[in-house]
Amino acid sequence: MITVSDVSLSFSGQALFKHVNLKFTAGNCYGVIGANGAGKSTFLRILSGELEPSSGEVVIDSRTRLSVLKQDHYAYNEYSVLDTVISGNARLYEIMQQKDALYAKEDFSEEDGLRASELEAEFAELDGWDAETEAGRLLQGLGLELSLLYEPMSTLPDKAKVKVLLAQALFGKPDIILLDEPTNHLDTPSVTWLEDFLLDYEGTVIVVSHDRYFLNDVCTHIVDVDYNKIKIYVGNYDFWYESSQLMQRVLKEQTKKAEDRIRELQSFIERFSANKSKSRQATSRKKLLEKLTPEEMPASSRRYPFVGFQMDREPGKEILTVENLSKTVDGVKVLDGISLRVNRGDKIAFVGEEEIATTTLFQILAGELEPDEGSYKWGISTTQSYFPKDNTAYFEGCEDNILQWLSRYSSDTSEIYLRGFLGKMLFSGDDVLKPVSVLSGGEKVRCMLSRMMMGGANVLLLDQPTNHLDLESITAVNNGLMEFKGIVLFSSYDRQFIQTTANRILELNGGHLIDKALPYDEYLAWREENPQ
């Protein structure tokens, strides 16, 4: 158990959060959410002991072993993969080093023998004899080859290093696991394996993540970092989001009878707690929800941007035809004879590990690149709007403020209209006068989305639109694309985003195309039955 008592943290006199009192108990998984800059990762650093709070304390029993997902991918370059994973249990790794040093001594004494005996006993207690087997099992679960165990970390690509550090955090049955964005850079099978691991895990998990699908699967509680406060609520992310929206509506309807409000909230709780699942976390969550009262539901004042796309005209039957399209980038053929037809009503997710292939295809379709071979043709009734993965060209060297920048893309350039529009995108007051050259990644994305909404296009091309966004903005973009009546071609690693938006999946693999008119979950099931 972790007990947080009256914890506050300030930087340069500015309070990040204050008077936080929480308890994290075994058998539960806590998902930490909050806007970018709210202090989620900082809070994890306080829990791990890496950062001292300005006041208050965090209490963890001295016999409790806490494991943290490391963020420095190069910190273990001098280690082997096996040593890196096993070092997740610091005491076991220390014993192994001491044993090796003793047995390497040429003048091995009787005293050394006694010490070695003590170390061997503790080594066995810590399941040291199974350490290599467990390390291998973790790596295989995350999609790495067993042969990598004996390779130096320095020889691994960054994506493999991420998986090794995750295996390190999970190794040796820790009592508490702290994970900061563990699904970043993981492929879908690895994320699924991690979910299964955490669902079977009996200790305490505290995880920061922007992956809503992941939070929904594994979390029994949501930890909301908002407006200098940190509170724990029962349920997964969907329950937190929908109940917080419901509570906001209920609180606004002050004239409504109290009995009616309670009945509505209780019905909502019962609906969520009735969800059936065999997973341990879902079962635990169900029991917690059944005990929940309306007074304990989140009444978050969190603000969400408004993302909504309107078409100036309906598209005709002909949308897009691509024939034998090929393109080589830096000597690698990333598109090899691609042919496809996009139809009315299509919302297509482009998936696959080769990001450069999707980005190159989108750049060609947006007219920014010429193909080496083949052709493409947009329907005469279509208008396209493009969201590039790299938006640097739209902001670099630009001296405009946000208001001036957006006016370039609007038919109504009046300040009243533009301020109202930007207000819905959470740029209020003097925010609109900030130079676009100093905006954060998330603010630039909101500007790019505002630009697209101004265009009235009936075809949207979006390359990784959820990058740099917090959960609130991701949810808003997701809702906006779900409600859009036109055609959408997009790429994303957010599984819930794909599942709820796409009705067709295109996988670019080795320059070739796999085309499945399936929801994402059915495509994943097909892919599992038809591995590459």
Side-chain angles (χ1 to χ4, degrees), residues 144-190:
L144 297 178
E145 296 292 331
L146 267 180
S147 58
L148 291 179
L149 274 176
Y150 310 102
E151 296 294 322
M153 284 286 287
S154 58
T155 64
L156 269 58
D158 285 351
K159 285 190 176 181
K161 287 180 181 177
V162 169
K163 292 183 176 183
V164 173
L165 291 182
L166 182 53
Q168 179 193 65
L170 305 178
F171 175 79
K173 303 180 181 67
D175 302 294
I176 300 169
I177 301 176
L178 304 184
L179 302 171
D180 193 353
E181 297 291 358
T183 63
N184 280 4
H185 310 295
L186 289 188
D187 50 75
T188 300
S190 297

Side-chain angles (χ1 to χ4, degrees), residues 411-431:
S411 56
D412 185 342
T413 58
S414 67
E415 185 170 333
I416 292 176
Y417 171 75
L418 292 173
R419 278 185 175 273
F421 191 95
L422 287 168
K424 292 190 291 184
M425 293 300 285
L426 306 187
F427 294 111
S428 57
D430 289 342
D431 287 345

Side-chain angles (χ1 to χ4, degrees), residues 165-367:
L165 291 182
L166 182 53
Q168 179 193 65
L170 305 178
F171 175 79
K173 303 180 181 67
D175 302 294
I176 300 169
I177 301 176
L178 304 184
L179 302 171
D180 193 353
E181 297 291 358
T183 63
N184 280 4
H185 310 295
L186 289 188
D187 50 75
T188 300
S190 297
V191 175
T192 301
W193 177 89
L194 176 60
E195 289 171 350
D196 291 339
F197 181 95
L198 295 179
L199 290 171
D200 291 333
Y201 174 71
E202 296 182 354
T204 304
V205 181
I206 305 175
V207 55
V208 172
S209 179
H210 286 83
D211 186 333
R212 295 166 299 161
Y213 196 100
F214 179 75
L215 292 174
N216 283 330
D217 262 12
V218 303
C219 289
T220 58
H221 297 75
I222 292 297
V223 181
D224 186 21
V225 184
D226 189 24
Y227 295 103
N228 307 123
K229 298 177 181 178
I230 305 180
K231 295 182 179 180
I232 294 179
Y233 299 102
V234 170
N236 60 10
Y237 178 76
D238 273 356
F239 181 82
W240 177 88
Y241 172 70
E242 293 193 32
S243 59
S244 66
Q245 296 293 295
L246 176 59
M247 284 295 290
Q248 283 189 23
R249 292 196 300 272
V250 167
L251 291 172
K252 287 178 181 177
E253 297 172 2
Q254 296 297 332
T255 58
K256 195 174 182 181
K257 288 183 180 179
E259 294 84 357
D260 290 343
R261 292 202 301 269
I262 291 172
R263 192 177 300 113
E264 183 179 5
L265 295 172
Q266 196 64 54
S267 173
F268 175 82
I269 293 169
E270 289 170 0
R271 176 167 64 82
F272 257 87
S273 63
N275 289 342
K276 294 181 180 179
S277 175
K278 296 180 181 179
S279 76
R280 188 184 63 78
Q281 295 288 25
T283 302
S284 173
R285 185 166 58 227
K286 179 178 183 294
K287 292 177 181 177
L288 292 165
L289 286 173
E290 287 171 344
K291 298 176 183 177
L292 188 67
T293 64
E295 291 75 19
E296 297 170 305
M297 290 172 67
S300 175
S301 54
R302 189 80 55 75
R303 295 175 65 210
Y304 291 76
F306 171 78
V307 178
F309 302 96
Q310 299 296 325
M311 301 182 292
D312 286 343
R313 63 182 293 189
E314 289 279 342
K317 290 183 179 180
E318 298 296 324
I319 305 298
L320 171 66
T321 302
V322 177
E323 294 184 349
N324 297 314
L325 207 67
S326 296
K327 183 68 177 179
T328 297
V329 178
D330 295 330
V332 178
K333 200 166 194 178
V334 297
L335 300 175
D336 188 4
I338 297 297
S339 295
L340 68 101
R341 183 181 178 87
V342 177
N343 307 305
R344 284 188 66 174
D346 275 347
K347 292 186 176 180
I348 304 174
F350 286 77
V351 302
E353 290 300 302
E354 299 168 4
E355 294 180 22
I356 184 64
T358 299
T359 295
T360 301
L361 178 60
F362 281 16
Q363 287 175 323
I364 291 171
L365 297 179

Side-chain angles (χ1 to χ4, degrees), residues 425-488:
M425 293 300 285
L426 306 187
F427 294 111
S428 57
D430 289 342
D431 287 345
V432 302
L433 303 178
K434 286 174 68 173
V436 295
S437 58
V438 302
L439 298 181
S440 68
E443 288 172 327
K444 288 178 179 177
V445 169
R446 281 188 275 136
C447 282
M448 293 296 291
L449 291 168
S450 298
R451 165 187 164 273
M452 293 186 76
M453 286 188 278
M454 293 283 189
N458 50 33
V459 180
L460 306 179
L461 292 90
L462 303 105
D463 194 1
Q464 301 289 344
T466 60
N467 286 359
H468 308 294
L469 293 183
D470 54 29
L471 276 169
E472 291 74 37
S473 298
I474 292 172
T475 302
V477 177
N478 195 170
N479 291 341
L481 292 181
M482 287 168 60
E483 293 169 7
F484 180 55
K485 304 302 181 185
I487 294 92
V488 182

Side-chain angles (χ1 to χ4, degrees), residues 2-236:
I2 303 179
T3 303
V4 179
S5 301
D6 200 31
V7 163
S8 299
L9 183 70
S10 298
F11 290 114
S12 303
Q14 185 75 28
L16 191 59
F17 37 77
K18 50 191 177 183
H19 306 304
V20 177
N21 294 280
L22 304 170
K23 283 187 179 180
F24 299 94
T25 57
N28 290 317
C29 179
Y30 300 85
V32 184
I33 65 170
N36 290 340
K40 303 182 295 295
S41 297
T42 302
F43 182 57
L44 251 62
R45 291 174 62 204
I46 290 175
L47 295 180
S48 70
E50 181 187 343
L51 180 65
E52 284 290 325
S54 303
S55 62
E57 63 176 353
V58 174
V59 178
I60 302 175
D61 190 288
S62 59
R63 295 165 295 179
T64 297
R65 188 165 80 81
L66 182 146
S67 185
V68 181
L69 174 60
K70 306 290 196 307
Q71 299 298 318
D72 185 353
H73 302 163
Y74 307 102
Y76 294 88
N77 274 358
E78 303 303 316
Y79 290 69
S80 70
V81 170
L82 179 60
D83 282 354
T84 301
V85 175
I86 293 177
S87 67
N89 186 335
R91 179 55 186 159
L92 175 61
Y93 187 67
E94 181 184 14
I95 290 170
M96 292 172 65
Q97 298 298 102
Q98 291 178 2
K99 279 174 53 185
D100 289 346
L102 279 175
Y103 293 139
K105 291 177 68 173
E106 292 183 4
D107 54 342
F108 191 82
S109 65
E110 183 177 345
E111 185 179 343
D112 291 333
L114 290 173
R115 179 59 182 150
S117 178
E118 292 171 354
L119 290 173
E120 290 288 5
E122 191 175 354
F123 179 77
E125 283 180 15
L126 294 173
D127 295 326
W129 296 112
D130 295 326
E132 187 171 335
T133 300
E134 182 185 351
R137 188 165 58 245
L138 290 170
L139 290 185
Q140 285 184 308
L142 290 166
L144 297 178
E145 296 292 331
L146 267 180
S147 58
L148 291 179
L149 274 176
Y150 310 102
E151 296 294 322
M153 284 286 287
S154 58
T155 64
L156 269 58
D158 285 351
K159 285 190 176 181
K161 287 180 181 177
V162 169
K163 292 183 176 183
V164 173
L165 291 182
L166 182 53
Q168 179 193 65
L170 305 178
F171 175 79
K173 303 180 181 67
D175 302 294
I176 300 169
I177 301 176
L178 304 184
L179 302 171
D180 193 353
E181 297 291 358
T183 63
N184 280 4
H185 310 295
L186 289 188
D187 50 75
T188 300
S190 297
V191 175
T192 301
W193 177 89
L194 176 60
E195 289 171 350
D196 291 339
F197 181 95
L198 295 179
L199 290 171
D200 291 333
Y201 174 71
E202 296 182 354
T204 304
V205 181
I206 305 175
V207 55
V208 172
S209 179
H210 286 83
D211 186 333
R212 295 166 299 161
Y213 196 100
F214 179 75
L215 292 174
N216 283 330
D217 262 12
V218 303
C219 289
T220 58
H221 297 75
I222 292 297
V223 181
D224 186 21
V225 184
D226 189 24
Y227 295 103
N228 307 123
K229 298 177 181 178
I230 305 180
K231 295 182 179 180
I232 294 179
Y233 299 102
V234 170
N236 60 10

